[in-house]
Amino acid sequence: GNSVTQMEGPVTLSEEAFLTINCTYTATGYPSLFWYVQYPGEGLQLLLKATKADDKGSNKGFEATYRKETTSFHLEKGSVQVSDSAVYFCALSRTGNQFYFGTGTSLTVIP
Amino acid sequence: NAGVMQNPRHLVRRRGQEARLRCSPMKGHSHVYWYRQLPEEGLKFMVYLQKENIIDESGMPKERFSAEFPKEGPSILRIQQVVRGDSAAYFCASSPLGLAGVNEQFFGPGTRLTVL
């Protein structure tokens, strides 16, 4: 079956620290992979995506590389800001119409 | 282009009442998805609809829950005889007509249901 496993939180970092949130997946075939971000009280917003192996998605300083050999799509940012505090969801889709989400990782960045 | 709209944003119901949640997809989008987010948990898929059709309801509880996406008007998620365990945030997402490749899902702001 299809599933996503995310690193459990919560994660607390100081401003300008390096961020890694781990995500691994199980899927048949070749899924597309996504990171969504949810700010307090809001819906999910697409942060970045990658549609094939070795693709790197990037946005707002965040990056994730689709690693087929390790079935991973870890999210990284070199220097986090207080405004990055949110919940981050890793997701996969094979058909474009069925998405499978991880449980989310809460990030708090302190000044 | 307006995004996905959901209303109400907050809904309070007493046990045994009905809750009706509405979702208007983005213009041009014909696929609608409903998800439930329980406190401290991730999103759980409930149902996937196209206009006038339920495509996949494998995540929907068998009783009390129903969904529709009529030819005209918003998609409706209906919960009958609500119980406290139904308290959650319900998110709607939409995507455009299927094309080659993968479509992004665009999420609404959610409806937060509280059952007293």
Side-chain angles (χ1 to χ4, degrees):
Chain A
N2 299 305
S3 66
V4 173
T5 302
Q6 268 184 254
M7 154 185 181
E8 290 196 17
V11 174
T12 302
L13 294 174
S14 297
E15 206 164 22
E16 299 184 2
F18 184 85
L19 169 71
T20 299
I21 301 178
N22 290 339
C23 171
T24 57
Y25 67 89
T26 301
T28 53
Y30 303 95
S32 291
L33 302 173
F34 303 79
W35 277 100
Y36 279 83
V37 58
Q38 182 183 30
Y39 297 103
E42 298 184 11
L44 277 71
Q45 303 172 27
L46 179 67
L47 181 60
L48 53 84
K49 67 179 180 183
T51 58
K52 62 183 187 297
D54 299 326
D55 269 3
K56 178 186 285 187
S58 62
N59 185 26
K60 300 181 181 178
F62 290 89
E63 292 183 340
T65 301
Y66 188 147
R67 301 284 188 201
K68 187 171 180 295
E69 63 276 13
T70 54
T71 61
S72 65
F73 193 54
H74 305 320
L75 182 68
E76 297 182 337
K77 186 174 185 182
S79 176
V80 293
Q81 306 300 313
V82 172
S83 57
D84 294 326
S85 298
V87 180
Y88 292 82
F89 292 90
C90 185
L92 73 81
S93 178
R94 283 197 55 247
T95 64
N97 292 317
Q98 297 295 333
F99 275 64
Y100 300 86
F101 285 87
T103 54
T105 302
S106 174
L107 169 66
T108 301
V109 180
I110 55 177
Chain B
N1 191 7
V4 177
M5 299 177 68
Q6 289 188 249
N7 68 81
R9 293 292 306 275
H10 300 274
L11 181 62
V12 179
R13 285 288 178 265
R14 297 190 180 280
R15 281 180 298 171
Q17 291 184 319
E18 179 180 280
R20 291 168 64 92
L21 287 62
R22 295 175 185 76
C23 169
S24 296
M26 286 182 70
K27 187 176 180 181
H29 287 193
S30 57
H31 301 228
V32 166
Y33 314 79
W34 286 95
Y35 294 85
R36 178 165 61 176
Q37 184 179 35
L38 293 167
E40 308 302 323
E41 294 187 17
L43 272 73
K44 300 296 184 185
F45 167 79
M46 299 182 73
V47 62
Y48 160 39
L49 311 102
Q50 294 180 21
K51 286 282 188 183
E52 301 184 277
N53 285 305
I54 295 174
I55 307 302
D56 182 351
E57 57 182 347
S58 58
M60 195 92 103
K62 294 290 184 285
E63 297 178 351
R64 302 186 299 107
F65 285 72
S66 62
E68 62 178 9
F69 188 17
K71 186 176 180 181
E72 301 292 337
S75 175
I76 305 288
L77 179 67
R78 182 185 293 111
I79 311 172
Q80 295 178 301
Q81 299 176 318
V82 296
V83 300
R84 289 215 174 103
D86 296 333
S87 295
Y90 292 83
F91 290 95
C92 171
S94 73
S95 67
L97 190 63
L99 299 169
V102 176
N103 294 310
E104 174 187 343
Q105 290 194 359
F106 296 81
F107 282 79
T111 293
R112 281 156 181 78
L113 172 65
T114 302
V115 179
L116 302 177

